[in-house]
Amino acid sequence: MNKTLVAYFSATGTTKAAAQKLAKELGADLYEITPEVPYTSADLDWRDKGSRSTLEMKDRSSRPAIKGRCENIADYDTVWIGFPVWWYTAPTIVNTFIEAHDLGGKVLNVFATSGGSNVTGSAGDLKKAYPQYKWGESRLMN
């Protein structure tokens, strides 16, 4: 089979552009991880201790709802999971996506965008949280 999926969460569009570039490079399909309730600019204000993103990231058990599922996830051997780095790790909505899909038997790769962090910590956190999966490479795509 050897099909690749690029699944991504993009709050501002930066990660979407990186996902599109990666999908083109790999000849992969794209899937956007879409929050059930879209993030506003106020939600994303990391300086506001009461903002939605800050509260979600403080609570590691937070699982923001996503719209739908990737119904044909079984068709893919490799899944790239992309996101902007928040608080030095993946936004908790990425966990929602991972936990909503059967990713067993697939190679999972990580790509991220960030204004100041690398992808190593984020990838390590996901590998530690989901050791049952086969993890491959990680890329920072600014």
Side-chain angles (χ1 to χ4, degrees):
M1 180 168 38
N2 219 7
K3 284 182 70 176
T4 301
L5 177 69
V6 174
Y8 68 94
F9 164 67
S10 184
T12 63
T14 303
T15 305
K16 180 177 184 173
Q20 290 169 333
K21 180 180 176 183
L22 182 62
K24 184 176 181 181
E25 173 192 325
L26 300 173
D29 296 332
L30 276 170
Y31 177 80
E32 183 171 7
I33 302 166
T34 307
E36 200 168 88
V37 177
Y39 289 88
T40 66
S41 56
D43 291 337
L44 299 172
D45 184 358
W46 56 272
R47 295 167 300 217
D48 178 357
K49 293 180 187 210
S51 75
R52 178 178 164 195
S53 60
T54 300
L55 295 175
E56 287 175 2
M57 295 307 292
K58 279 185 181 179
D59 177 5
R60 293 298 178 188
S61 67
S62 172
R63 296 296 183 268
I66 57 176
K67 282 186 186 177
R69 294 171 27 99
C70 182
E71 295 301 332
N72 63 337
I73 196 88
D75 296 347
Y76 299 97
D77 303 299
T78 303
V79 178
W80 283 83
I81 302 171
F83 50 85
V85 175
W86 287 4
W87 288 262
Y88 306 101
T89 195
T92 55
I93 196 167
V94 171
N95 299 82
T96 306
F97 171 79
I98 291 170
E99 293 167 10
H101 295 86
D102 179 5
L103 301 173
K106 302 176 186 325
V107 175
L108 305 180
N109 299 304
V110 174
F111 73 97
T113 56
S114 175
S117 300
N118 64 36
V119 71
T120 308
S122 303
D125 290 344
L126 290 172
K127 290 173 186 178
K128 185 176 177 183
Y130 304 100
Q132 71 271 34
Y133 296 127
K134 181 178 180 184
W135 293 92
E137 65 178 291
S138 304
R139 289 189 195 178
L140 184 63
M141 297 185 63
N142 287 347

